[in-house]
Amino acid sequence: MTGFKISEVAEKSNVNIETVRYYEKRQLIPEPPRTRAGYRIFSLEDVDRIKFIKRSQKLGFTLNEIKQLISIQCSGSGSSDGRYPIITSLTGGDSHE
């Protein structure tokens, strides 16, 4: 199983590990798959989503409003490359550097 450990996601997203856990608990990011040993394995999409959440907060959105934005975005209008345009625009589209 490939992906990122919670510490790597936190570092790439510029948040602490507890923030990642909190977003998962609040269902702002999907529950990631786990290894046989029980470690969470996150994807680049999870990093993008966390960056989106933090940028949205800086713009004044509450976590409840952000959750609604994510819900709207995930229910349709995904771009042809599988990335979501709202998330891409608010993260600056540079999360994979």
Side-chain angles (χ1 to χ4, degrees):
M1 185 178 294
T2 61
F4 303 102
K5 296 177 191 173
I6 194 169
S7 61
E8 295 169 318
V9 169
E11 183 179 335
K12 288 180 179 298
S13 304
N14 202 29
V15 299
N16 65 48
I17 292 171
E18 289 304 315
T19 300
V20 178
R21 288 184 182 126
Y22 182 70
Y23 290 168
E24 183 184 349
K25 181 179 176 180
R26 291 278 311 259
Q27 298 179 333
L28 291 161
I29 60 173
E31 183 178 340
R34 293 180 181 258
T35 65
R36 288 183 192 207
Y39 294 105
R40 296 172 179 90
I41 300 296
F42 294 89
S43 67
L44 283 175
E45 287 88 10
D46 297 317
V47 173
D48 282 344
R49 181 156 310 171
I50 293 167
K51 287 183 175 185
F52 168 77
I53 293 165
K54 295 309 292 181
R55 179 71 179 131
S56 297
Q57 285 181 308
K58 287 181 183 177
L59 293 172
F61 289 95
T62 67
L63 289 179
N64 286 334
E65 292 167 333
I66 295 166
K67 191 172 182 177
Q68 289 176 344
L69 286 172
I70 291 168
S71 176
I72 291 167
Q73 190 62 40
C74 290
S75 68
S77 75
S79 65
S80 61
D81 69 355
R83 298 183 73 201
Y84 297 107
I86 291 174
I87 292 174
T88 302
S89 66
L90 286 176
T91 60
D94 65 352
S95 65
H96 301 287
E97 293 181 356

